[in-house]
Amino acid sequence: MKKILVLHTGGTIAMHSDRSGHIVTNDNNPMASVEVNLDNIELSVKNVLNVPSPHITVDHMLLLFRHIKEADKKFDGVVITHGTDTLEETAYFLDTMAIPNIPIVLTGAMRSSNALGSDGIYNYLCALRVAAHPKAYDKGVLVVMNEEIHAAKYVTKTHTTNVSTFQTPTHGPLGIMMKDDILFFKTADPRVRFDLHHISGVVPIIKAYAGMEDDLINLLQPDGIDGVVVEAFGAGNMPPKAAIALENLIKGGTPVVLVSRCFNGIAEAIYDYEGGGIQLSQAGVMFVKELNAQKARLKLLIALNAGLTGEALKEYIEG
């Protein structure tokens, strides 16, 4: 018998459409009363939160981390139901913490509980199956949606409403659901993990655009932020004046992390012109491989709270 801890947090999977067709929260999470008829699975269910996922903060993520740590040696797996807007961020955050090697699976829904073709219960049952499966051990945090199994590091929400919204650019899913089994194609990358009890700091995200100058970046006050993530062009390039503004931030002691605004590929310093990646790298901008901006923000925030500075910070961010 596999003992699975279920942590409900709210989101569309726990919401319903009212008479006006508006999707609203329920006072009582309907997922908590779902009848689960899966062989050899025993559930322990906790309603940790009941909030829309845009309300999720790093403090909520830390709360889930504490529940997962407490589950070690008591449970064989953990399933978290979560709103989809920030699901990938919570998944990545947890995957960067000192979690046990048991399967930890996040899932959600794109359609509310009473919508036609609601996907919530099916996604939930699939997540339970993965959490109870021996092949899911030591794979890091997983996201199970629409019969696919994704790694927390790479998965992202790609569509506003479609049930196949969660995709993994470049790599594809780690595995898929079968009728009576699950199949993994690959394993997740190893992680540097942190055991943090508190996280604070301000790390904004700035997106590059054609004709961008230095005015937006100059609005940032170094004493009011702890770092910056910039979503740059292509392989990692910026307009010239914006690049100079980033250099000035770095000179003032503010860490600057760069990702690409492209959906696929890796940001790297290869262009040698004014504002190009080589100039930015030489100025101290740290290039993140394959993470999107929202995950890079969490990576920098976690690193700073773990006390990483200087070369250790650069090595972790660019690793």
Side-chain angles (χ1 to χ4, degrees):
M1 182 69 68
K2 296 285 187 177
K3 294 183 178 180
I4 306 299
L5 173 64
V6 176
L7 304 174
H8 291 306
T9 69
T12 299
I13 194 170
M15 296 180 183
H16 72 277
S17 299
D18 64 15
R19 292 181 179 179
S20 301
H22 300 157
I23 300 174
V24 297
T25 56
N26 288 308
D27 291 334
N28 297 311
N29 187 342
M31 296 305 297
S33 58
V34 170
E35 186 175 346
V36 177
N37 293 314
L38 295 174
D39 293 338
N40 300 318
I41 292 180
E42 178 185 318
L43 300 185
S44 178
V45 179
K46 292 184 179 181
N47 289 304
V48 179
L49 301 166
N50 188 16
V51 298
S53 65
H55 295 189
I56 292 289
T57 68
V58 290
D59 288 332
H60 293 136
M61 299 175 192
L62 275 173
L63 176 62
L64 291 171
F65 172 47
R66 287 195 290 270
H67 279 287
I68 291 170
K69 283 179 61 176
E70 292 170 2
D72 193 19
K73 297 182 175 60
K74 299 177 185 176
F75 294 93
D76 300 298
V78 177
V79 167
I80 301 170
T81 64
H82 197 289
T84 58
D85 283 342
T86 57
L87 185 150
E88 66 191 83
E89 288 167 83
T90 297
Y92 177 78
F93 178 91
L94 295 175
D95 200 39
T96 313
M97 294 294 104
I99 53 173
N101 287 333
I102 59 175
I104 298 166
V105 182
L106 277 80
T107 193
M110 293 302 293
R111 296 172 182 165
S112 58
S113 60
N114 62 340
L116 183 65
S118 176
D119 54 330
I121 292 177
Y122 185 69
N123 284 339
Y124 178 49
L125 295 178
C126 286
L128 290 172
R129 285 176 54 198
V130 173
H133 203 287
K135 291 181 182 178
Y137 276 76
D138 204 21
K139 291 276 196 305
V141 175
L142 303 172
V143 173
V144 173
M145 295 279 291
N146 200 40
E147 297 188 330
E148 293 183 337
I149 306 166
H150 295 269
K153 181 178 180 180
Y154 301 115
V155 70
T156 190
K157 185 176 181 179
T158 65
H159 196 285
T160 55
T161 56
N162 198 293
V163 295
S164 65
T165 180
F166 279 90
Q167 304 289 333
T168 298
T170 304
H171 300 270
L174 287 183
I176 58 172
M177 306 297 304
M178 300 170 64
K179 187 179 187 310
D180 298 313
D181 200 359
I182 64 174
L183 175 65
F184 280 101
F185 306 127
K186 59 191 88 169
T187 60
D189 293 339
R191 297 284 182 281
V192 177
R193 300 197 184 277
F194 301 94
D195 190 2
L196 301 180
H197 305 282
H198 173 75
I199 289 186
S200 62
V202 177
V203 177
I205 297 171
I206 296 175
K207 187 166 186 169
Y209 52 87
M212 184 180 191
E213 297 197 357
D214 57 3
D215 46 359
L216 177 60
I217 297 172
N218 288 341
L219 290 174
L220 299 174
Q221 298 298 318
D223 58 350
I225 59 174
D226 299 278
V228 174
V229 173
V230 58
E231 201 173 281
F233 299 130
N237 310 301
M238 293 291 290
K241 289 185 179 179
I244 292 172
L246 292 177
E247 290 181 32
N248 290 334
L249 275 178
I250 294 169
K251 289 176 182 177
T254 301
V256 176
V257 166
L258 182 147
V259 300
S260 174
R261 71 178 195 176
C262 293
F263 192 72
N264 281 292
I266 299 172
E268 52 184 334
I270 55 177
Y271 283 92
D272 192 5
Y273 53 72
E274 191 177 358
I278 290 177
Q279 180 192 64
L280 293 170
S281 179
Q282 290 173 345
V285 173
M286 295 175 282
F287 283 59
V288 175
K289 297 180 180 69
E290 296 191 273
L291 292 186
N292 57 28
Q294 54 266 37
K295 292 179 183 176
R297 172 186 169 270
L298 287 171
K299 185 172 189 177
L300 178 56
L301 199 58
I302 290 166
L304 294 174
N305 278 268
L308 298 184
T309 59
E311 194 60 33
L313 176 64
K314 178 179 173 64
E315 183 178 334
Y316 172 67
I317 292 296
E318 296 191 335

